[in-house]
């Protein structure tokens, strides 16, 4: 939990950010978020410039203290990807929380993307726009060449580079901690990193720094060329990457391992993910094929005749087991989310993909430096 002086500094920082960019008219918001300790301070900032109608916590990243605090101030609802992907159910939900209102949706993982055209067409108010936080969610919205409402993404912002670097570090830390809990170590195993985007490349570098041999697989040959240029071994096929790898880190955001792929996972390998299990692993498809056994805290053994492997944290982001902290750098990204929401509230925009203007980013970064330089 945050100390009082830390909470006060963060609250003061967000207050200044809001003062700099707050719209003249307060619209409504619904926020999907990781509800970790300290996150209610960010939500208070959102609520200070909008009518925060509901908070939907990501189910695998909820801290009890943050949940209690959030529920005392705002409506907290269960997040259900299937429900939000079904147009009629998603529409009914929005109507129950913000009927007839002008609404900005804050997303973490593209939850609103499948039903977005129906929501924009049928909602009794107006979907003013979306702000998306993650790379996998960004890709889901990119499926619309011309989205039915404005979509701001912070996923590829330069302000997110420090966070991505530190998330990679925390993923490797948590993976190593779980493996060591079983009496194993990293160093005698080859690690396959599936996906060489911002998180995958960070994970690969962190593993290499620990003396682990890394092989990279990415469906994009450009990414594989980049990995090769950075000194990593690469594989042209998923099967080749999995063969002989004792650690598999899934960082694609787009089903790194489908049902048929698990048969090619090496015996005794550990599988870790940097994001939600439904984004990376088709584990449900294994229920009829593999016996499951919990063999340690957050370690599940999957066994079939002559074949077994371990899945860490039920396939969810492994770093959330240890707080997933990236220090004060997370406040850079959260301030950019606030600023993007404010951009949507300031003036109508046509349906298209947007990023925050460079000048606004520089203002956010300068404010952050005033508060956290030397404390990050």
């Amino acid at each position: 939990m945050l100390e009082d002086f830390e909470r006060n500094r963060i609250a003061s920082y967000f207050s200044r950010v809001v003062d700099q960019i707050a719209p003249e008219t307060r619209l409504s918001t619904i926020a999907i978020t990781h509800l970790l300790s300290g996150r209610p301070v960010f939500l208070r900032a959102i609520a200070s410039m909008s009518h925060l109608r509901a908070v939907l916590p990501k189910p695998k990243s909820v801290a009890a203290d943050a949940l209690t605090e959030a529920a005392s101030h705002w409506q907290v609802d269960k997040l259900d990807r299937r429900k939000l992907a079904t147009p009629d159910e998603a529409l009914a939900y929005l109507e129950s929380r913000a009927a007839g209102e002008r609404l900005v949706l804050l997303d973490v993982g593209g939850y609103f993307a499948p039903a977005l055209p129906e929501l924009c067409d049928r909602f009794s108010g107006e979907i003013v726009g979306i702000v998306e936080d993650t790379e996998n969610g960004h890709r889901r919205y990119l499926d619309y060449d011309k989205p039915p409402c404005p979509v701001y993404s912070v996923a590829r912002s330069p302000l997110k580079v420090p966070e991505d670097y530190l998330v990679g570090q925390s993923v490797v830390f948590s993976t190593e901690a779980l493996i060591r809990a079983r009496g194993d170590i990293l160093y005698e195993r080859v690690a396959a990193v599936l996906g060489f985007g911002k998180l995958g490349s960070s994970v690969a570098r962190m593993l290499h720094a620990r003396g682990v041999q890394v092989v990279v697989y990415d469906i994009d040959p450009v990414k594989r060329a980049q990995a090769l240029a950075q000194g990593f071994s690469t594989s042209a096929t998923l099967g080749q990457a999995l063969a002989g790898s004792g650690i598999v880190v899934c960082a694609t955001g787009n089903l790194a391992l489908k049902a048929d792929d698990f048969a090619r996972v090496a015996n005794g390998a550990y599988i870790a993910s940097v994001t939600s299990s439904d984004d990376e692993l088709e584990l449900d498809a294994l229920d009829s094929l593999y016996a499951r056994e919990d063999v340690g805290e957050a370690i599940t053994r999957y066994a079939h005749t002559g074949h077994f492997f371990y899945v860490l944290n039920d396939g969810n982001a492994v770093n959330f087991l240890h707080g997933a902290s990236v220090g004060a750098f997370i406040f850079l990204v959260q301030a950019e989310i606030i600023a993007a929401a404010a951009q949507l509230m300031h003036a109508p925009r046509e349906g298209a993909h947007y990023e925050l203007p460079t000048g606004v980013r520089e203002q956010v970064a300068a404010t952050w430096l005033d508060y956290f330089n030397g404390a990050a």
Side-chain angles (χ1 to χ4, degrees), residues 223-347:
K223 295 288 182 63
R224 295 202 303 274
Q226 291 172 346
L228 194 64
Q230 293 180 34
F232 297 109
S233 299
T234 63
S235 172
T237 68
L238 176 60
Q240 186 182 60
L242 294 175
S245 293
I247 303 166
V248 180
V249 182
C250 302
T252 68
N254 190 28
L255 287 180
L257 294 178
K258 298 180 181 178
D260 294 341
D261 297 324
F262 288 94
R264 295 181 285 179
V265 172
N267 260 348
Y270 293 91
I271 299 174
S273 174
V274 306
T275 187
S276 302
S277 59
D278 56 354
D279 289 325
E280 290 289 358
L281 307 169
E282 283 190 341
L283 290 175
D284 290 346
L286 303 184
D287 289 345
S288 62
L289 301 173
Y290 286 81
R292 295 179 43 160
E293 179 187 3
D294 292 334
V295 294
E297 185 177 356
I299 305 174
T300 304
R301 185 178 190 267
Y302 284 74
H304 182 56
T305 306
H307 186 220
F308 73 99
F309 53 84
Y310 303 98
V311 175
L312 305 182
N313 197 28
D314 292 326
N316 293 298
V318 68
N319 55 319
F320 281 116
L321 291 169
H322 302 102
S325 176
V326 296
F329 292 103
I330 188 64
F331 308 133
L332 272 172
V333 182
Q334 291 173 349
E336 185 166 7
I337 291 170
I338 291 168
Q343 291 282 306
L344 288 167
M345 296 178 193
H346 274 299

Side-chain angles (χ1 to χ4, degrees), residues 97-111:
R97 296 290 176 256
E101 299 179 2
R102 301 184 68 212
L103 181 63
V104 174
L105 301 173
L106 307 183
D107 203 351
V108 181
Y111 281 82

